Every structure is written in C-alpha cells, then in structure tokens.
C-alpha cells in the first residue's frame, strides 16, 4: 500500500508513511530534501521504521523526481539500491541519505557513464569513466573529475597516460599516437590550440529526396560542417585541419582516413532509412579502415534506432576510403561518422 505523510527532517529519522496493518514508518534524512517535506513509501514497516524491500519516492527541492528501489533496514537503505533522479541520471550502488556514496555505477542523461568510488555524489577514488564519444578514462578521481594518475583511451585510437588535472592530461604525459602506435610527449598547449581553432564558417545540408512515410511534407535532413560531395583532396586546408582535429592522438603530419568520393551517396541511404523509421538525433559510428582503404568493421557509439544503425553499418562497409597515412605510409585507423538527423517541413 502506498501512502503519503509529511517528512519531518529533524535530526536523523522522521515520520514517513503508514503501511497497511502497521504503525507509521520512519526513514532517514534525504538529500536533496523533499519539497514540503513530503515523501511516498511503498513497502513493509517494522518497529516503526521502513524495513524490507520497497520503493521510496519524493520530489526534491532541485525539482527532480527521485526514486529509490532497494532494501531498507531501520529506515535506511541497506546494501545496494537503485536511484533514479528524474531525467538527470540513474545510479546503482550504495547510498547515504539518498545520495550516491561509496561504490556504484552512474549513467547520466548525456550518456556519460562512471563506475567506481563516489562520495556524496562526487566521483572520488578509483574508477572508470566512459564519455559519450566513446573515449574511456581509467584511474584516479578527486573533486568529481579525473585527478591523479590515469589512462585516457581515445575511441579514434591512441592513448594518454600519466598525470591528470581537473579532467585533462598535463604536459609531459606519455601519448601513444593513433594508427602508428608511436609514442611521444603530450603537449597540452598544442592540443588546446588545435581544439580552439577557427570554427566552421558554413554548414552543409543534405535533404531527403522523398518525404517521410505517412506525410507529404516532412523530410529528413542531415547537417555537416564539411562538404559531402568531395573526397580528401577536395577539402580546403582549413577543412582538412578541422577534420584532423577530431583525432586527439593524431601525430602531426599524419592524415586520417576519408571517403574517396565524400559522403553524399552514403548520406542518401542514411536519410532514407532515418525517414522510413522516423528516427532523429545524433547518430555516431566509427569505421575501422584498413591500409587498402576498405572498411574492416563498424563500431557503434551511443544509442540510436537499431534499424537505422543496420542500414548505416552496411552502407559504411560498402564505402571506399582513402587510407590513413602514418609517416608517409598507409596505416589502419578509424573514421568517425557523426550525423545530426532532424525532420523539417519542406
């Protein structure tokens, strides 16, 4: 039976709810605090406390609807529990006063994922963090960021190993370059300068030939910061630099792989598939291109419509690519495909 009673957060325990056939229950203080000190408890009570497996819900003062599923003992979470904070994040692990604390797994709405030590919602200690673009950091955390010794592995190849400060590697760390596997010394200033270079001056759009199924008006559109109808040699030096900067561990002078004739024909397949299944959002895959310019495999990044991804993978495998170049020789490297797919009126 689920009931609602005011939560009085005086000291450690407060009246919570009445379970059928049992006296009023109590639970510990909750953070963030409930609006109007009101909570919901759906579960058994024992000796005046929430005790046993149940669900605790409240609307926090930060506006999020919070829900804890797990086992309670004497009014507090006992062992591992699941916490959902609105559309902000989901957590599985140990809790203190309703906040992640101890060891657990966090999955944020932007698809950032973390597993490891945590102290009152702050990432702390040793852990593994997977970024939305597929990069992975493994090592020490402090004050909610990578701080200390760690290893950052890039989804597009290469690593940086050594000291991290406020989430970023520092000068002198060891860098292993994508493609060649050669090693060097990380230069933070050079990397920051490349990442803060000129922004694209033009956005290229490609529109679906036919309207989506079920409508005569809406067409699927994909946007790109690079022209889709030319290969590597057809890009300007600025556009080549813009694309190369997507690779955090590309050694200076090396070249990434690139479709021989651009992505125009490939985009038509994607647009048709996205329109057919009414899919929208950010679609990302990485294609492993061999030294002969042929695709060897497709790696999915993030979540997207499964049917569309199958079309994308097949089309990406059929493309011909200019292979990557490492120290003047063809080398194996990943090619990233990232598309923001939307639907608009014609």
């Amino acid at each position: 039976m689920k009931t609602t009673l005011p939560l009085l957060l005086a000291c450690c325990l407060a009246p919570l709810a009445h379970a059928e056939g049992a006296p009023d229950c109590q639970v510990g203080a909750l953070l963030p605090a409930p609006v109007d000190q009101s909570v919901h408890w759906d579960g058994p009570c024992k000796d005046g406390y929430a005790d046993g497996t149940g669900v605790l819900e409240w609307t926090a003062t930060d506006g999020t609807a919070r829900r804890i599923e797990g086992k309670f003992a004497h009014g507090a979470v006992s062992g591992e529990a699941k916490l959902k904070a609105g559309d902000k994040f989901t957590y599985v692990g140990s809790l203190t006063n309703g906040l992640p604390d101890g060891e657990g797994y966090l999955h944020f709405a932007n698809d950032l994922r973390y597993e490891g030590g945590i102290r009152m919602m702050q990432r702390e200690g040793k852990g593994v963090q997977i970024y939305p673009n597929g990069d992975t950091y493994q090592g020490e955390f402090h004050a909610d960021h990578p701080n200390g010794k760690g290893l950052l592995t890039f989804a597009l190849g290469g690593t940086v190993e050594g000291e991290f400060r406020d989430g970023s590697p520092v000068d002198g760390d060891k860098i292993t370059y994508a493609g060649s596997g050669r090693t060097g010394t990380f230069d933070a200033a050079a990397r920051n300068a490349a990442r803060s270079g000129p922004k694209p001056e033009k956005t290229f759009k490609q529109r679906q030939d036919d309207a989506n199924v079920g409508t005569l008006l809406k067409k699927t559109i994909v946007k790109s910061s690079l022209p889709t109808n030319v290969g590597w040699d057809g890009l300007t030096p600025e556009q080549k630099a813009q694309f190369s900067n997507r690779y955090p561990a590309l050694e200076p002078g090396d070249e990434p792989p690139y479709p021989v004739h651009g992505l125009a024909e490939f985009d038509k397949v994607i647009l048709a598939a996205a329109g057919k299944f009414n899919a929208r959002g950010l679609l990302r895959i990485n294609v492993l291109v061999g030294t002969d310019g042929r695709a060897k495999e497709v790696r999915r990044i993030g979540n997207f419509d499964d049917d569309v991804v199958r079309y994308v993978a097949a089309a990406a495998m059929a493309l011909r690519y200019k292979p990557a170049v490492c120290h003047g020789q063809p080398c194996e490297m990943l090619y990233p495909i990232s598309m923001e797919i939307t639907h608009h009126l014609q």
Side-chain angles (χ1 to χ4, degrees):
M1 171 182 173
K2 177 186 288 187
T3 57
T4 304
L5 287 179
L7 176 69
L8 305 177
L9 297 178
C11 187
C12 303
L13 295 173
L16 173 64
H18 177 80
E20 186 174 359
D24 289 351
C25 290
Q26 298 183 58
V27 295
L30 295 173
L31 296 173
V35 174
D36 299 327
Q37 298 184 346
S38 178
V39 300
H40 302 264
W41 166 248
D42 187 3
C45 298
K46 180 181 179 181
D47 298 329
Y49 297 98
D51 198 286
T53 301
V55 176
L56 180 67
E57 297 176 307
W58 76 100
T59 299
T61 51
D62 64 0
T64 59
R66 303 246 166 174
R67 175 187 175 95
I68 296 176
E69 301 176 29
K71 186 177 181 180
F72 285 69
H74 204 68
V77 173
S78 176
E80 186 177 278
K82 180 178 180 180
L83 166 67
K84 183 171 177 58
D87 59 359
K88 290 185 176 181
F89 67 86
T90 300
Y91 170 80
V92 177
S94 55
L95 296 158
T96 298
N97 293 346
L99 283 180
D101 189 49
E103 294 277 342
Y105 171 77
L106 273 166
H107 191 164
F108 293 92
N110 66 354
D111 210 28
L112 179 72
R113 288 163 285 167
Y114 170 82
E115 185 171 9
I118 191 163
R119 182 179 300 167
M120 298 305 283
M121 195 57 206
Q122 296 268 310
R123 283 158 281 191
E124 191 76 25
K126 292 185 178 181
V128 177
Q129 183 158 277
I130 302 175
Y131 296 87
N133 67 354
D135 293 351
T136 301
Y137 170 83
Q138 183 173 3
E140 298 175 346
F141 286 78
H142 177 64
D144 210 33
H145 294 287
N147 275 293
K149 298 294 183 182
L151 171 67
L152 179 60
T153 302
F154 299 110
L156 292 179
T159 63
V160 174
E161 185 175 10
E163 193 73 20
F164 285 74
R165 188 175 303 135
D166 295 330
S168 299
V170 300
D171 285 340
D173 284 352
K174 175 185 175 182
I175 183 169
T176 301
Y177 295 108
S180 68
R182 291 164 56 93
T183 60
T185 302
F186 181 78
D187 186 335
R191 184 189 180 198
N192 291 336
R195 296 175 69 183
S196 61
K199 302 299 181 183
E201 297 182 357
K202 186 176 180 180
T203 298
F204 299 88
K205 296 181 180 180
Q206 194 164 337
R207 188 182 297 267
Q208 182 183 357
D209 291 334
D210 300 314
N212 295 337
V213 175
T215 175
L216 299 177
L217 298 176
K218 287 189 177 180
K219 285 190 175 183
T220 306
I221 295 175
V222 63
K223 297 179 181 180
S224 172
S225 60
L226 296 172
T228 60
N229 60 347
V230 297
W232 183 255
D233 292 336
L235 299 178
T236 66
E238 292 76 17
Q239 289 169 339
K240 289 180 179 179
Q242 175 192 328
F243 183 76
S244 296
N245 285 341
R246 298 184 186 183
Y247 292 76
L250 186 69
E251 189 171 7
D254 289 354
E255 293 181 0
Y258 205 81
V260 171
H261 302 295
L263 288 173
E265 293 302 317
F266 172 83
D267 285 354
K268 288 183 179 180
V269 176
I270 307 313
L271 288 167
K276 177 180 179 181
F277 296 103
N278 196 32
R280 67 190 69 192
L282 182 60
L283 184 155
R284 288 186 295 203
I285 62 170
N286 291 335
V287 184
L288 182 61
V289 178
T291 57
D292 59 356
R294 295 184 180 276
K296 300 180 71 174
E297 65 177 81
V298 173
R299 301 175 185 176
R300 178 177 182 166
I301 304 295
N303 297 316
F304 202 80
D305 183 275
D306 290 338
D307 293 309
V308 176
V309 171
R310 281 194 288 269
Y311 276 88
V312 174
M317 290 296 293
L319 272 179
R320 289 302 304 272
Y321 302 83
K322 173 198 81 68
V325 178
C326 300
H327 285 266
Q329 299 296 321
C331 57
E332 186 174 286
M333 197 178 296
L334 287 160
Y335 171 75
I337 295 176
S338 179
M339 296 181 172
E340 184 68 39
I341 298 174
T342 59
H343 301 296
H344 291 283
L345 295 178
Q346 298 185 42

